[in-house]
Amino acid sequence: ELKVEQNPLFLSMQEGKNYTIYCNYSTTSDRLYWYRQDPGKSLESLFVLLSNGAVKQEGRLMASLDTKARLSTLHITAAVHDLSATYFCAVADWNHGNQFYFGTGTSLTVIP
Amino acid sequence: DVKVTQSSRYLVKRTGEKVFLECVQDMDHENMFWYRQDPGLGLRLIYFSYDVKMKEKGDIPEGYSVSREKKERFSLILESASTNQTSMYLCASSLHPSQSQAFFGQGTRLTVV
């Protein structure tokens, strides 16, 4: 069974600080997705990482993928309140059918 | 832009009613998915479909059925709604997951009373 684990599950951080969310997965997939979900809303795509060593950045968020370690990170730089949301990673693998496998999500709260 | 549209944003139904949740996508995606999301439980896959008239059970199919008569439309059916089916329901579509991300609809918050 393909497993995706995120940590931490909850993250409270002060504005201006840096932090990293981790996503570990159990398959050899080289494709990983990050999503953001605001309270009461649906999931919005943030990043698509397509190969080992891929790095994508948008604003204060940077995502990277290490397929050998089966690890993706979402790094937050100089957090601001608007980044408060739940972040999910997801993996897909040809060997595991037509499904996405989602992590449990990291609930991020940025405190002024 | 890919658009995935769910028929209702909020829905209130009575116990025992048959409930239909509709989802339409406009990008000719083969794959469509229904998830439910509850606090502390993340996203749980109910059913998915990889082609017209094809369906596969996800992790929690009990109490649900689905219909995919046309490629763009994927319906989730609660045969006899119960209070434990009160939840946020999310529809998504994609090419093969190993080729593309999932695109989500806006979600339907269903309350069963």
Side-chain angles (χ1 to χ4, degrees):
Chain A
E1 183 188 337
L2 197 161
K3 291 187 187 251
V4 182
E5 293 181 348
Q6 275 182 249
N7 69 83
L9 297 183
F10 298 94
L11 177 56
S12 180
M13 57 190 297
Q14 285 190 311
E15 278 191 334
K17 298 292 187 184
N18 304 333
Y19 208 82
T20 300
I21 298 170
Y22 297 89
C23 175
N24 290 91
Y25 55 95
S26 64
T27 178
T28 55
S29 173
D30 60 357
R31 184 170 289 253
L32 189 130
Y33 311 101
W34 281 98
Y35 292 87
R36 168 183 172 141
Q37 184 180 36
D38 292 304
K41 300 284 181 65
S42 189
L43 276 73
E44 172 191 350
S45 177
L46 283 176
F47 298 111
V48 177
L49 302 171
L50 301 178
S51 61
N52 186 41
V55 176
K56 293 273 184 80
Q57 182 161 6
E58 172 122 6
R60 300 173 188 274
L61 298 177
M62 183 173 72
S64 65
L65 179 62
D66 181 344
T67 58
K68 292 179 183 174
R70 302 183 186 181
L71 171 69
S72 180
T73 60
L74 182 65
H75 186 72
I76 303 152
T77 301
V80 293
H81 180 68
D82 285 353
L83 291 179
S84 296
T86 299
Y87 294 86
F88 290 91
C89 63
V91 173
D93 185 345
W94 277 107
N95 295 323
H96 288 85
N98 294 42
Q99 288 191 46
F100 295 92
Y101 294 85
F102 283 86
T104 48
T106 296
S107 177
L108 170 66
T109 303
V110 180
I111 306 165
Chain B
D1 275 356
V2 175
K3 196 155 186 187
V4 181
T5 304
Q6 294 181 230
S7 54
S8 303
R9 186 76 179 89
Y10 299 95
L11 213 49
V12 180
K13 294 292 181 180
R14 295 195 180 277
T15 301
E17 274 193 79
K18 191 168 186 175
V19 181
F20 293 86
L21 302 183
E22 307 282 349
C23 177
V24 177
Q25 52 96 0
D26 66 358
M27 281 302 290
D28 205 34
H29 285 164
E30 296 93 351
N31 295 278
M32 296 188 76
F33 308 85
W34 276 106
Y35 297 89
R36 69 175 277 179
Q37 186 178 26
D38 301 287
L41 296 177
L43 281 105
R44 292 184 290 169
L45 182 63
I46 305 171
Y47 268 98
F48 67 100
S49 168
Y50 53 89
D51 202 350
V52 175
K53 296 190 188 294
M54 305 302 288
K55 61 186 179 185
E56 286 206 23
K57 293 179 180 179
D59 301 318
I60 52 162
E62 297 78 19
Y64 303 94
S65 62
V66 290
S67 172
R68 190 153 181 216
E69 296 296 318
K70 293 186 178 181
K71 192 174 186 179
E72 66 270 18
R73 187 179 296 269
F74 192 35
S75 302
L76 179 69
I77 303 153
L78 287 67
E79 297 291 341
S80 177
S82 63
T83 54
N84 63 12
Q85 292 178 310
T86 292
S87 186
M88 170 71 102
Y89 290 88
L90 296 168
C91 173
S93 76
S94 76
L95 297 172
H96 193 283
S98 292
Q99 296 176 303
S100 94
Q101 61 190 299
F103 296 88
F104 283 84
Q106 76 275 29
T108 296
R109 183 161 294 282
L110 172 67
T111 303
V112 183
V113 298

